Amino acid sequence: MSLIVQKFGGTSVGTIERIEAVADKVTEFRRQGHDIVVAVSAMSGETNRLIGLAHELQSQPTPRELDVLISTGEQVTIALLSMALNKRGCPARSFTGSQVKILTDSAHNKARIKEIDGSNIRAELKRGRVVVVAGFQGSDEDGNITTLGRGGSDTTAVALAAALKADECQIYTDVDGVYTTDPRVVERARRLEHITFEEMLEMASLGSKVLQIRAVEFAGKYNVPLRVLHSFQDGPGTLISLEESLEMESPAISGIAFTRDEAKLSILGVPDTPGIAYRILGPISDANIEVDVIVQNAAADKTNDITFTVSRGDMVKAEAILHETAKELGAREVVTDAKIAKVSIVGVGMRSHAGVASKMFKTLADISTNIQLITTSEIKISVVIDENFLELAVRALHTAFDLDDTSSESA
Ligand code: ADP
Ligand code: ASP
Ligand code: MG
């Protein structure tokens, strides 16, 4: 008998019928004798609806109150799923994040889990009950309700699995595993049997929303065996683990991630002197704006241009700061562009394959896609391009790096 943490996402609990279907599934696992802890998301669309209500009132909703509001979505689902389980003769009890005692820091709307007191859950499991926990939330030292950022129920599940030393953490969702790229964008995307934490971490941080990045971080840190599966279709899903592929010929690239969530800002014609990057980017980070890609190029006339990207929601704030800095430094111009996208190729195989970058650049050249910015790390290469070319670029790269699923094609 094992202890399994199962997480069901928003679409999987989006209607009463689906909640009943989830209850059937959980009951079946329980009948097999496993101890089950279930973490659930809000019903699909609910978190967005609640955020929309807050924005009708305030353009920048008070962070503490926003958390009180948006944490209610998950509270609805834990109650409904527990009722559905009890109805099936499968004893279950619901817990909000703070009832479990999921202790977080006080960074409202993007809190980090510090500690989980598993004693309540263990006591309930001992009584033979299924424990149903509200995902995406916790509370801080002072008892304020906090939430963990969009997609945070994944992190709740993995953190519970780590705290309870579960045998496996199963993330049930609306696709049957982790794919080479978003299967809703590339029809020929292929399900991966296996992906390393390292690769999954890059994929998540570069825009693949199938798992929240913090969930992958947690799973890697505590070595929680993690599997992504379809809620209502049987299948092996995708295992995320430490080991690299055992195949002899591991591919150069395992997956392609992309995001439309960023915006690009440039400050042109600043003096090329020591400390200039700090003078420009210091005030941006002081305003708590995260900077992603940064490129600096020096011109022959002893001036510099610095270009960087921030998340699109921060663009207006960053632009105002940059105009201030431009005035102070006597810069020539500030230019912004929100119509950009970032495409990244990811794979541990990159370490042992040469020519990956040039193949990427040639593929983009062949479809006349202009590369605006490039950044690389050991296992990924990212390019910033015009948003209009995004889907074309992802498909072309998917084919060029032999990721297409050709199994359904006739010979
Ligand atoms: P849930 O509500 O269950 O948490 P999400 O919408 O957060 O589900 O995540 C699942 C979605 O992630 C899929 O429907 C798919 O469109 C998207 N996705 C993006 N990249 C990938 C990928 N590489 N593999 C699988 N799904 C992906
Ligand atoms: N309900 C939250 C969201 O929509 C958390 C989650 O679903 O993981 O972001
Ligand atoms: Mg999700």
Side-chain angles (χ1 to χ4, degrees):
M1 185 170 101
S2 44
L3 170 56
I4 305 174
V5 175
Q6 303 184 319
K7 179 254 171 177
F8 291 89
T11 31
S12 311
V13 292
T15 60
I16 290 297
E17 290 71 35
R18 291 204 175 149
I19 290 176
E20 300 250 30
V22 166
D24 284 337
K25 187 164 188 127
V26 172
T27 303
E28 180 51 35
F29 271 96
R30 183 70 197 114
R31 293 222 167 101
Q32 289 167 14
H34 303 297
D35 280 340
I36 308 287
V37 176
V38 186
V40 282
S41 291
M43 295 168 83
S44 59
E46 181 61 5
T47 310
N48 285 343
R49 187 184 74 85
L50 294 168
I51 292 173
L53 289 177
H55 280 277
E56 278 181 40
L57 263 169
Q58 269 186 305
S59 61
Q60 305 264 352
T62 314
R64 181 185 184 280
E65 304 315 324
L66 185 62
D67 275 349
V68 174
L69 177 70
I70 62 182
S71 63
T72 60
E74 272 69 11
Q75 189 167 340
V76 170
T77 7
I78 53 170
L80 292 173
L81 179 58
S82 300
M83 289 174 197
L85 287 164
N86 287 326
K87 188 172 96 173
R88 283 163 175 73
C90 175
R93 238 187 203 188
S94 65
F95 285 82
T96 64
S98 69
Q99 283 176 324
V100 170
K101 290 206 178 76
I102 296 181
L103 179 69
T104 72
D105 62 19
S106 304
H108 284 291
N109 316 153
K110 50 175 184 229
R112 279 184 180 270
I113 295 175
K114 289 165 76 172
E115 207 182 309
I116 294 183
D117 176 355
S119 54
N120 279 340
I121 296 182
R122 282 197 197 90
E124 294 295 342
L125 291 175
K126 244 193 203 137
R127 291 187 192 108
R129 292 185 178 130
V130 169
V131 180
V132 183
V133 179
F136 176 56
Q137 56 180 270
S139 55
D140 71 4
E141 305 261 8
D142 299 320
N144 298 299
I145 293 173
T146 53
T147 63
L148 310 177
R150 300 306 306 268
S153 300
D154 297 332
T155 303
T156 303
V158 178
L160 283 169
L164 298 166
K165 300 197 169 47
D167 297 286
E168 185 163 304
C169 182
Q170 302 171 340
I171 306 286
Y172 288 97
T173 183
D174 56 6
V175 279
D176 64 347
V178 178
Y179 275 67
T180 46
T181 192
D182 190 339
R184 296 190 201 289
V185 171
V186 178
E187 218 176 273
R188 292 169 160 220
R190 207 161 23 87
R191 181 179 59 80
L192 298 163
E193 285 292 323
H194 172 262
I195 185 168
T196 65
F197 284 124
E198 204 183 1
E199 288 170 319
M200 194 62 235
L201 203 57
E202 290 284 7
M203 292 280 282
S205 73
L206 295 167
S208 297
K209 296 205 167 90
V210 61
L211 284 174
Q212 200 200 31
I213 176 164
R214 284 187 189 162
V216 188
E217 274 170 7
F218 242 103
K221 188 165 166 193
Y222 297 99
N223 202 6
V224 177
L226 189 60
R227 201 178 274 280
V228 174
L229 301 135
H230 197 289
S231 298
F232 307 119
Q233 292 167 12
D234 289 335
T238 300
L239 179 72
I240 298 133
S241 69
L242 286 174
E243 295 85 42
E244 290 188 17
S245 169
L246 297 174
E247 287 166 38
M248 295 283 282
E249 214 30 68
S250 71
I253 296 305
S254 299
I256 302 177
F258 52 85
T259 168
R260 295 183 181 86
D261 293 345
E262 292 184 31
K264 188 176 77 166
L265 299 101
S266 304
I267 180 165
L268 308 178
V270 294
D272 186 17
T273 51
I276 203 73
Y278 174 67
R279 294 270 311 266
I280 292 166
L281 295 166
I284 302 282
S285 94
D286 292 346
N288 255 328
I289 298 174
E290 257 179 63
V291 172
D292 182 22
V293 184
I294 306 172
V295 170
Q296 165 175 327
N297 32 1
D301 65 356
K302 292 256 184 252
T303 65
N304 240 333
D305 299 339
I306 289 190
T307 300
F308 57 93
T309 65
V310 298
S311 87
R312 223 172 257 189
D314 285 332
M315 188 181 95
V316 173
K317 204 163 133 198
E319 186 178 1
I321 297 169
L322 207 55
H323 274 293
E324 280 302 306
T325 313
K327 245 189 270 164
E328 284 166 26
L329 297 175
R332 198 172 65 241
E333 205 181 348
V334 169
V335 190
T336 61
D337 184 359
K339 293 194 148 312
I340 57 156
K342 189 172 73 176
V343 182
S344 309
I345 57 174
V346 175
V348 288
M350 225 181 264
R351 291 187 180 121
S352 52
H353 287 73
V356 173
S358 62
K359 186 169 183 173
M360 181 183 201
F361 304 152
K362 177 169 189 311
T363 306
L364 295 173
D366 288 346
I367 53 163
S368 304
T369 299
N370 186 41
I371 300 173
Q372 303 177 13
L373 306 170
I374 303 169
T375 84
T376 65
S377 75
E378 206 186 356
I379 65 160
K380 72 119 202 277
I381 303 170
S382 303
V383 294
V384 169
I385 60 173
D386 181 331
E387 189 185 52
N388 292 324
F389 285 84
L390 175 63
E391 298 196 359
L392 183 66
V394 174
R395 289 200 190 99
L397 290 166
H398 200 268
T399 304
F401 283 99
D402 294 326
L403 297 174
D404 286 352
D405 181 0
T406 49
S407 59
S408 60
E409 279 174 16
S410 51

